[in-house]
Amino acid sequence: MPKSALTGSRIREHRLMRGLKQADLARDIGISASYLNLIEHNRRRIGGKTLLALSEALKIDPSTLSQGAERAVVTELQDAAASDADIPVELDQIDDLVARFPGWAAKITAQHRRLRALEQTVGGLNDRLTHDPVLSERMHEVLSTVSAIRSTAAILVGTPDLGAEWQARFYSNIDTESRRLADSSAAMAAHLDNLSRKDTSTATPLEVVFSAFDARGHHLRELEEGGDPEAFAAKMSEIDSTAARTLAAEYFRTYSADAKAMPLEIFEPAAHEMKFDPAALAVRFGVPLEAVFRRLASLPRGATVPDIGLVSCDAAGALLVRKSPSGLALPWFGAGCPLWPLYAALSAPGVPIRRVIEGEDGARFTAMALAHPSGPLRFDRPPVYHSIMLLVAQDDATGEVAIPVGSSCRICARSDCDARREPTVLTHG
């Protein structure tokens, strides 16, 4: 069923919600009741003046009638179908599923979002465990102690005529190393227990801040309405350390400045008008390109807003801002994929870069990156740059050649990548 075929059903639904009779609505917009009946039963296509007249009479936006609020659900279902190509689905009937069984459609999309979030969590936890200095130290202690015990035991077994004095020394060594092994194992278990309970003491301030951003979809309504950044950071219960609150206030001040320079009620229509072109928007509002990147990523998600992600890093390549789009998980620890335009931009500060990239599951994005000064330029010290990359979901039918990328080497299964810096932990049996 084509997407436009459900327009009549939406018109009928909104007419009934407002308690209007079919004949009355038809008379108000200047068409016959029989013609409106055909429209409502999806037997006549509708557009132009008739659609505008109906939307005005029903006091609803024309796009809601033509596209429907369920477009986001349809997009999620298409994403769910693409994520597991081994199971064939009836893609041409997705609209019909949403229209006839909205509850089931919503439940499927919710489960798909949950699975996607879990996949990203697993990837992030794996990355965290790989780069956790405490865990690495404890594991090294355990392995070293086990090796010492094994070597001592091998000497005792392999030397049956060893004197009593030497046997006593070796037994004493085994006892000492065994106690050390028990202590190291207990410390490692305690650290893992803290991680499993999401103990905030094991999370960095940056993690805490962007967990708060993620929980709000990177759209902070309080700051959109002119709220104070410091007061907003202070009242957020999940930001419970001085370091995290200080960092949050810094990011919130930047968010507030962007919102004031590009008010949502003006910026969002302009973004649609300019097809989400950051360069054109930067000229329209007279702001730096990186500010437009941030503002686009802060737009509230809607049926007409593309899936947008954002990531930034410092000059050392350490990731700072993270907003993962569907189909490309962003790591919480270490560096990202070396092939991201984010890193290429650091070699040419001030020069915007645009590439089409493709994640491991086939999701394609227009990636736009720019390296910009992170502070004022001075003559007495070298400039410090940050790089920022905007990711906008792209239709794979554009025909553009895409660069295959991953999340990070540790959790990327691409076997033929020339940029790989370390083996993947993913194995294929």
Side-chain angles (χ1 to χ4, degrees):
M1 179 181 292
K3 296 176 182 178
S4 60
L6 296 175
T7 301
S9 300
R10 299 187 193 101
I11 292 171
R12 183 173 186 274
E13 177 186 353
H14 286 285
R15 175 178 63 79
L16 294 176
M17 287 172 57
R18 284 160 178 75
L20 295 174
K21 293 182 179 180
Q22 194 175 69
D24 294 338
L25 178 59
R27 183 180 63 254
D28 290 344
I29 66 170
I31 63 174
S32 67
S34 59
Y35 184 60
L36 179 57
N37 184 63
L38 291 174
I39 290 174
E40 289 189 350
H41 286 83
N42 302 303
R43 295 176 184 172
R44 289 290 185 277
R45 298 182 66 86
I46 180 176
K49 294 181 179 179
T50 304
L51 179 62
L52 292 175
L54 281 167
S55 66
E56 184 177 347
L58 294 172
K59 295 180 174 57
I60 193 169
D61 189 88
S63 64
T64 302
L65 294 178
S66 61
Q67 295 182 337
E70 67 271 20
R71 285 270 31 100
V73 178
V74 171
T75 301
E76 287 278 3
L77 288 173
Q78 291 171 336
D79 186 33
S83 67
D84 194 346
D86 295 334
I87 303 177
V89 296
E90 297 79 9
L91 287 173
D92 59 335
Q93 298 182 34
I94 288 180
D95 290 276
D96 193 30
L97 169 66
V98 175
R100 296 178 60 191
F101 307 104
W104 279 108
K107 191 170 186 66
I108 293 171
T109 57
Q111 290 179 339
H112 174 60
R113 285 194 297 270
R114 193 172 298 116
L115 285 172
R116 189 171 60 206
L118 287 173
E119 288 173 353
Q120 293 181 1
T121 299
V122 169
L125 287 175
N126 174 77
D127 207 23
R128 177 171 192 156
L129 292 176
T130 301
H131 295 89
D132 190 327
V134 177
L135 186 62
S136 298
E137 181 181 352
R138 299 304 182 193
M139 182 62 73
H140 178 72
E141 290 177 359
V142 168
L143 294 177
S144 298
T145 307
V146 168
S147 297
I149 294 174
R150 182 177 179 181
S151 298
T152 305
I155 293 174
L156 286 171
V157 171
T159 315
D161 56 348
L162 195 64
E165 182 179 352
W166 281 102
Q167 285 186 8
R169 290 183 180 179
F170 283 123
Y171 285 137
S172 177
N173 288 341
I174 290 177
D175 178 67
T176 299
E177 295 297 337
S178 298
R179 293 176 185 275
R180 179 184 170 193
L181 176 62
D183 291 341
S184 299
S185 300
M188 184 165 64
H191 182 64
L192 289 172
D193 183 55
N194 282 338
L195 291 178
S196 67
R197 288 186 288 106
K198 296 184 178 179
D199 189 343
T200 55
S201 65
T202 65
T204 68
L206 194 63
E207 290 176 63
V208 173
V209 171
F210 278 95
S211 291
F213 266 101
D214 286 338
R216 292 161 176 79
H218 288 251
H219 180 72
L220 308 180
R221 181 173 298 177
E222 294 87 343
L223 300 183
E224 296 284 350
E225 297 172 353
D228 179 70
E230 283 76 11
F232 182 50
K235 74 176 184 179
M236 296 178 74
S237 59
E238 62 266 50
I239 301 180
D240 56 0
S241 72
T242 301
R245 279 192 293 271
T246 301
L247 190 62
E250 179 182 340
Y251 278 103
F252 292 166
R253 282 193 292 271
T254 300
Y255 188 105
S256 292
D258 291 341
K260 289 178 182 177
M262 295 167 278
L264 184 63
E265 63 273 14
I266 301 175
F267 181 79
E268 188 168 11
H272 283 87
E273 177 189 343
M274 297 184 172
K275 303 184 185 302
F276 299 89
D277 181 350
L281 289 166
V283 173
R284 165 75 69 89
F285 289 91
V287 296
L289 190 57
E290 62 269 20
V292 177
F293 284 7
R294 295 191 298 262
R295 196 65 178 130
L296 285 171
S298 73
L299 287 176
R301 186 171 183 179
T304 59
V305 176
D307 192 3
I308 295 177
L310 186 74
V311 59
S312 72
C313 71
D314 61 17
L319 299 186
L320 303 174
V321 176
R322 304 171 186 83
K323 182 190 179 188
S324 295
S326 303
L328 185 65
L330 303 178
W332 276 97
F333 292 90
C337 175
L339 297 178
W340 286 354
L342 176 76
Y343 298 118
L346 286 170
S347 64
V351 179
I353 296 176
R354 180 189 179 278
R355 301 284 188 274
V356 177
I357 63 174
E358 183 176 277
E360 291 180 82
D361 64 354
R364 292 164 64 101
F365 303 91
T366 298
M368 292 161 279
L370 174 73
H372 60 92
S374 63
L377 298 176
R378 302 177 180 179
F379 289 105
D380 59 341
R381 63 189 66 178
V384 177
Y385 289 96
H386 282 181
S387 184
I388 187 169
M389 180 171 69
L390 186 74
L391 298 163
V392 182
Q394 186 189 68
D395 187 349
D396 59 7
T398 60
E400 294 186 71
V401 177
I403 301 172
V405 303
S407 174
S408 66
C409 288
R410 294 288 290 172
I411 53 175
C412 177
R414 297 189 188 277
S415 59
D416 58 346
C417 180
D418 295 333
R420 179 172 293 283
R421 62 177 170 268
E422 58 180 327
T424 178
V425 298
L426 303 177
T427 59
H428 304 278

